Amino acid sequence: MGVLNHALNQCFETSALRDLEKSFGTSVSLQPSLTEQNVIELKLIFVTSLYLLLVRRLVIDMLPVVVVHGGASDIPKGRTGKSVSGVRSAARAGYTILQGGGSSMDAVVEAVTQLENNPFFSAGCGSVLNIKGEVEMDAIVMDGKTLGSGAVSAVRNITNPIQLARLVMDKTSHTLLTAEGANQFARSIGVPEVPPESLITEYSRMCWEKDLAANPAECQMWKMGTVGAVAVDNEGNVACATSTGGVLNKMEGRVGDTPCIGCGGYADNQVGAVSATGHGEANMRVTLARLVLFHMEQGQKVTSSFQHLEL
């Protein structure tokens, strides 16, 4: 458990963490709890630094911040280093955009794009496989300034579902496109499709085969979760982005919490931003992301906003 705690703690990267601590005169903790009772804390702890910024924005100069998570997962020892470096790289990419005056939406999309392109995460290339051994992906973005949102679900043959989700927000009057409809939209605006096998890694195939053989103990991939990011930019606008390959061996067409507004993500300039990871069906039952922000609106701290929840 100690090794696992360390690995997951390292998978939360805040590029401006030192600046935050200096400005606030406090320590920003991103250490997740791995107990079953506090699993929601693991899903949401990355929003803590963003929340600190928002509640103190009236009394200090606000710094741009991006916080990235690589999913609630039990990382095998042989993959820990690559997972940690992948999250850090994604956070730095998002923060570079913020430092250059870019928007929070630009930052979270770039950060999650980096994770989708990294085969060590279950999003984009590296996604877990469904019961037929195929990749189906979900993604969502939300703009805290306008409350605009875009999402795709059960999409195939697309390298970066998070970018397609943003295009749904920017280019259509809809919020969510699914399956073949999402792919048709992608083709209509010139988003290239890729061969299905290009999104399947040897590791995800191995885990799928072991799970089919009813021997999941030999592979921890089935526990790998959704990836995501939240950010606040120089203008005080927040945004979230969340992307996933879903759960291993899911039924064809299964859609979890990720693309559902208020479940897999939510952003509102008046409160904050959340990107969730964990068990999708449980998150959906309580519209987890929006519920946390509701409790924050009532003046509760992030850590206390979910203590009474039972998923």
Side-chain angles (χ1 to χ4, degrees):
M1 181 64 74
V3 173
L4 181 55
N5 266 314
H6 175 73
L8 283 174
N9 178 54
Q10 292 298 310
C11 275
F12 287 83
E13 174 73 7
T14 309
S15 292
L17 191 55
R18 292 181 180 175
D19 291 335
L20 280 171
E21 292 176 341
K22 182 183 298 183
S23 298
F24 292 161
T26 186
S27 175
V28 179
S29 174
L30 295 178
Q31 294 183 357
S33 168
L34 296 180
T35 64
E36 182 176 355
Q37 293 82 356
N38 293 325
V39 67
I40 305 175
E41 183 173 357
L42 175 60
K43 303 172 189 176
L44 301 171
I45 198 67
F46 60 87
V47 81
T48 301
S49 61
L50 179 59
Y51 176 66
L52 286 171
L53 276 176
L54 293 174
V55 298
R56 302 182 187 208
R57 62 193 299 180
L58 297 178
V59 295
I60 66 169
D61 292 332
M62 184 170 56
L63 298 172
V65 174
V66 60
V67 186
V68 174
H69 71 88
S73 59
D74 188 350
I75 307 173
K77 291 183 179 179
R79 295 174 65 87
T80 300
K82 292 291 187 180
S83 297
V84 170
S85 63
V87 172
R88 288 177 172 170
S89 177
R92 293 186 183 108
Y95 192 56
T96 296
I97 288 176
L98 294 175
Q99 285 183 309
S103 70
S104 55
M105 177 60 67
D106 290 338
V108 295
V109 169
E110 177 59 29
V112 172
T113 294
Q114 295 278 327
L115 296 176
E116 288 179 338
N117 292 339
N118 190 320
F120 283 83
F121 299 96
S122 182
C125 176
S127 293
V128 295
L129 308 184
N130 67 14
I131 196 168
K132 296 176 65 176
E134 300 169 339
V135 168
E136 292 180 304
M137 301 165 290
D138 307 331
I140 189 172
V141 297
M142 187 165 183
D143 185 335
K145 180 179 180 180
T146 65
L147 300 186
S149 181
V152 294
S153 66
V155 68
R156 302 168 182 259
N157 308 346
I158 299 295
T159 302
N160 296 116
I162 199 67
Q163 295 183 12
L164 186 59
R166 184 174 186 179
L167 288 168
V168 171
M169 179 180 71
D170 291 342
K171 303 282 187 185
T172 80
S173 60
H174 304 308
T175 298
L176 171 64
L177 296 178
T178 191
E180 179 56 27
N183 281 95
Q184 288 179 5
F185 168 67
R187 288 192 290 269
S188 73
I189 59 174
V191 175
E193 292 187 332
V194 298
E197 58 272 16
S198 69
L199 300 175
I200 301 175
T201 65
E202 292 183 7
Y203 186 74
S204 61
R205 176 72 70 182
M206 177 191 70
C207 292
W208 175 72
E209 292 173 349
K210 287 184 179 296
D211 192 75
L212 285 179
N215 193 17
E218 294 186 13
C219 182
Q220 298 298 319
M221 184 67 173
W222 67 279
K223 290 186 177 180
M224 291 195 72
T226 300
V227 304
V230 292
V232 57
D233 58 31
N234 286 317
E235 296 183 358
N237 298 316
V238 302
C240 71
T242 311
S243 182
T244 187
V247 295
L248 180 59
N249 245 333
K250 62 187 179 182
M251 295 176 63
E252 186 177 12
R254 178 264 188 187
V255 175
D257 65 307
T258 292
C260 300
I261 188 170
C263 298
Y266 201 84
D268 183 345
N269 275 9
Q270 301 304 312
V271 194
V274 173
S275 173
T277 179
H279 190 264
E281 281 71 15
N283 292 358
M284 293 169 76
R285 286 198 292 269
V286 296
T287 55
L288 184 62
R290 185 63 186 92
L291 182 60
V292 169
L293 291 184
F294 168 77
H295 288 302
M296 290 168 60
E297 284 179 304
Q298 309 309 306
Q300 294 188 32
K301 296 179 180 179
V302 173
T303 52
S304 63
S305 63
F306 53 80
Q307 287 179 348
H308 66 285
L309 296 178
E310 295 183 6
L311 300 187

